[in-house]
Amino acid sequence: MPVKSVYVESDLPHDLAGRLGEPGSFPFTRGVYPTMYTTRPWTMRQYAGFGTAAESNARYHQLLAAGTHGLSVAFDLPTQMGFDSDAAIAHGEVGKVGVAIDSIEDMRRLFHGIPLDQVSTSMTINAPAAVLLLLYQLVAEEQGVAADRLNGTIQNDILKEYIARGTYIFPPKPSLRLVADTFAYCRAEIPRWNTISISGYHMAEAGATPAQEIAFTLANGAAYVRAAIDAGLAVDDFAPRLSFFFVARTTLLEEVAKFRAARRLWARMMRDEFGAKDPRSMMLRFHTQTAGVQLTAQQPEVNLIRVAVQALGAVLGGTQSLHTNAYDEAIALPTQKSARLALCTQQVIAHETDLTATVDPFAGSYAVEAMTDEVEAAAAELMVRVADFGGAVAAIEAGFQKREIETSAYRVAQEIDAGARVVVGVNRYALDEEEPYEPLRVDPAIEAAQAARLAELRSSRDAAAVERALSALRSAAAGTDNVLPPMREALRLRATVGEVCDALRAEWGIYRPAETF
């Protein structure tokens, strides 16, 4: 976004007071809570998961001991796609980009020794989000923790997978049904759980501009709200549990403006378009992660500075929780030391600066208020274009969001190649010789160990009972009943993640983009 060299009072909107409101009040430009960080800081999460459940469990204990407030679980690619670790398609990917979870036994190991009523857990999982949530609930029950005491978030945002990330399983329509079923189930069973984290982060990582990031994210949010209303839910019964997930880039002022504009757009849409009455339904609460795409493998220690600047943008923009990337993540999974340094970045901002002493310190800034209006206007225009297709799903099927993001990504790549966009250590201030770095490596024997555990599980469980439960799940999927109760029973009987997803595949099919675009 072009930034003026000087902003003056005339750059402010004429109705500034109305566009700002008070902190914690409509339109929530200044933040969703009246006191924001003056009474307590944001939730400090660190995204972690690799190898086996036992290895990830050890990392979680380290992070909690270091002062992390909440856990954020990374799952490996087979788990994200609903495949068991011994499936042929999973070969070579088990435990690589996250933890492998195949059954309740793995989930039990993952959270061993962690009281689930004393932590907030975020799970970055989409197509099989309901499956992993139910496993979490079952493990909590084994700990004696009632479901109404669980607190956390599942990403559960399938629409952005069709746009930017690709870990979808089912076609859009049954995928939206599964999301709505999860909303209804959690309202009755796990009322404190955030049932979806509508994500702009992955679109931003794919190349979306700030305006595209919030426009396409809020348009997806509108599609989820409509799906839930169409399923018979009242907007104020589920909307207070919706949450969002955004990126924080190094362009600090623009990012602050983006977060403030997103809150204002969402509040107005929920009130004016969907008739929300509960103020909580209009609050855009969001988690932020610093920009992985801006990390460099060259001079990786410089990423510490990038991450600190990005974290400042998230805090000044009013985030509710934050993950700071480790400096070595452009090379490999973070080491224990780099993960600890990433967390310390947040702790320094929270406890050694004065940013938590006042709410929304940029309010009234000539530059930030003008930029907030610019981002809001650009995003609103893009949302109109999505609506012209008939909504987010129709626009996805037409390839609109994907094309827009790819065009932006190409433009940025050209600017970096030409040197017009400076990347320290890459196209300016590069070193002739890089210092050696030893990355964290995942043991390839993990795949065989997971397969052996699966074989033992299948031989020791009641196979007939599992098959009856999976049959009940298929029947619910073929009809209109909520699929989560029979899914929970199948998982309790030790059905695997892959088997549950296969049962749904049998009824709903799989999504193949070439058939639609």
Side-chain angles (χ1 to χ4, degrees):
M1 188 169 103
V3 179
K4 295 169 63 173
S5 57
V6 177
Y7 288 87
V8 297
E9 187 175 4
S10 61
D11 290 307
L12 294 173
H14 298 302
D15 58 340
L16 179 61
R19 297 177 72 76
L20 283 178
E22 295 297 323
S25 299
F26 186 90
F28 304 103
T29 309
R30 301 197 63 192
V32 293
Y33 302 124
T35 57
M36 288 303 289
Y37 311 135
T38 61
T39 54
R40 55 170 291 184
W42 59 94
T43 299
M44 299 180 193
R45 297 189 187 278
Q46 287 305 110
Y47 184 50
F50 62 95
T52 66
E55 288 176 296
S56 292
N57 174 263
R59 176 63 62 86
Y60 295 159
H61 280 283
Q62 292 162 2
L63 289 169
L64 290 168
T68 294
H69 300 161
L71 300 175
S72 185
V73 183
F75 297 96
D76 73 354
L77 193 56
T79 305
Q80 293 181 49
M81 298 295 292
F83 292 112
D84 290 332
S85 294
D86 59 356
I89 197 171
H91 179 62
E93 290 292 340
V94 176
K96 289 292 179 67
V97 299
V99 61
I101 299 294
D102 291 316
S103 72
I104 189 172
E105 294 184 355
D106 288 325
M107 189 66 87
R108 198 179 290 137
R109 293 185 193 97
L110 186 64
F111 291 102
H112 178 71
I114 299 174
L116 296 186
D117 58 343
Q118 296 178 30
V119 296
S120 169
T121 302
S122 173
M123 292 189 278
T124 302
I125 193 74
N126 295 285
V131 183
L132 276 299
L133 173 60
L134 292 173
L135 288 174
Y136 188 85
Q137 181 188 4
L138 289 167
V139 169
E141 288 176 359
E142 293 178 352
Q143 291 186 1
V145 176
D148 63 2
R149 292 166 62 195
L150 296 177
N151 184 21
T153 304
I154 43 173
Q155 192 161 100
N156 200 26
D157 175 7
I158 197 62
L159 293 181
K160 66 95 173 49
E161 298 295 330
Y162 303 115
I163 295 172
R165 194 162 174 267
T167 63
Y168 44 73
I169 300 176
F170 318 112
K173 187 174 180 181
S175 292
L176 284 174
R177 174 196 165 175
L178 185 56
V179 170
D181 279 0
T182 305
F183 287 178
Y185 178 86
C186 287
R187 179 173 176 264
E189 299 281 338
I190 319 177
R192 295 173 61 192
W193 198 267
N194 297 314
T195 50
I196 193 168
S197 178
I198 306 162
S199 176
Y201 181 89
H202 302 96
M203 290 185 274
E205 291 284 277
T209 66
Q212 289 172 340
E213 180 190 357
I214 61 173
F216 298 153
T217 303
L218 299 191
N220 287 351
Y224 293 125
V225 171
R226 289 191 190 94
I229 291 172
D230 290 345
L233 301 177
V235 64
D236 286 325
D237 285 342
F238 67 86
R241 303 312 307 176
L242 302 179
S243 65
F244 292 81
F245 176 25
F246 294 115
V247 78
R249 303 171 181 83
T250 52
T251 45
L252 187 149
L253 295 179
E254 186 175 32
E255 292 300 289
V256 172
K258 177 192 76 180
F259 295 132
R260 300 167 92 250
R263 277 194 294 269
R264 199 151 68 201
L265 282 164
W266 181 253
R268 287 178 175 155
M269 183 171 69
M270 292 302 292
R271 183 192 67 177
D272 300 340
E273 185 174 341
F274 293 108
K277 305 296 183 187
D278 188 338
R280 297 175 303 161
S281 299
M282 307 173 207
M283 292 180 183
L284 186 140
R285 297 171 302 114
F286 63 94
H287 169 71
T288 308
Q289 181 173 338
T290 55
V293 76
Q294 291 187 318
L295 301 178
T296 65
Q298 299 92 331
Q299 301 181 44
E301 292 84 355
V302 177
N303 293 327
L304 286 164
I305 295 92
R306 292 188 178 100
V307 168
V309 172
Q310 293 161 358
L312 282 171
V315 171
L316 289 166
T319 192
Q320 276 59 72
S321 68
L322 177 61
H323 163 85
T324 34
N325 290 326
Y327 72 85
D328 50 358
E329 287 189 57
I331 304 170
L333 290 168
T335 62
Q336 182 179 343
K337 179 181 179 180
S338 66
R340 186 174 65 250
L341 284 171
L343 176 60
C344 288
T345 303
Q346 297 196 52
Q347 292 168 336
V348 168
I349 293 172
H351 303 296
E352 294 191 23
T353 76
D354 56 3
L355 293 183
T356 59
T358 188
V359 177
D360 189 25
F362 271 133
S365 157
Y366 295 161
V368 169
E369 296 298 357
M371 293 171 75
T372 299
D373 272 21
E374 287 183 46
V375 174
E376 180 183 8
E381 181 181 351
L382 281 168
M383 291 174 71
V384 169
R385 293 178 67 187
V386 171
D388 288 343
F389 281 94
V393 173
I396 288 168
E397 292 173 344
F400 171 66
Q401 300 98 318
K402 197 172 189 301
R403 285 194 302 272
E404 292 289 305
I405 291 170
E406 288 173 350
T407 299
S408 299
Y410 182 61
R411 182 175 63 250
V412 169
Q414 286 181 309
E415 291 171 356
I416 293 173
D417 289 345
R421 184 182 291 258
V422 175
V423 181
V424 173
V426 176
N427 62 6
R428 196 177 296 184
Y429 312 115
L431 296 178
D432 294 331
E433 185 176 342
E434 293 283 343
E435 296 179 6
Y437 171 80
E438 184 59 36
L440 177 69
R441 302 188 187 278
V442 175
D443 187 348
I446 285 171
E447 185 173 329
Q450 283 292 115
R453 278 192 286 271
L454 278 167
E456 182 181 351
L457 176 145
R458 293 190 181 109
S459 66
S460 63
R461 69 189 182 183
D462 186 338
V466 170
E467 180 50 42
R468 285 194 296 272
L470 291 172
S471 178
L473 174 59
R474 287 191 292 269
S475 296
T480 58
D481 290 346
N482 192 311
V483 298
L484 270 71
M487 188 187 294
R488 181 181 62 190
E489 179 61 13
L491 293 167
R492 186 186 67 79
L493 293 167
R494 298 195 294 167
T496 68
V497 171
E499 289 166 345
V500 167
C501 289
D502 283 345
L504 296 178
R505 286 184 183 99
E507 297 301 327
W508 293 345
I510 58 175
Y511 182 67
R512 299 186 185 278
E515 296 176 358
T516 304
F517 293 172

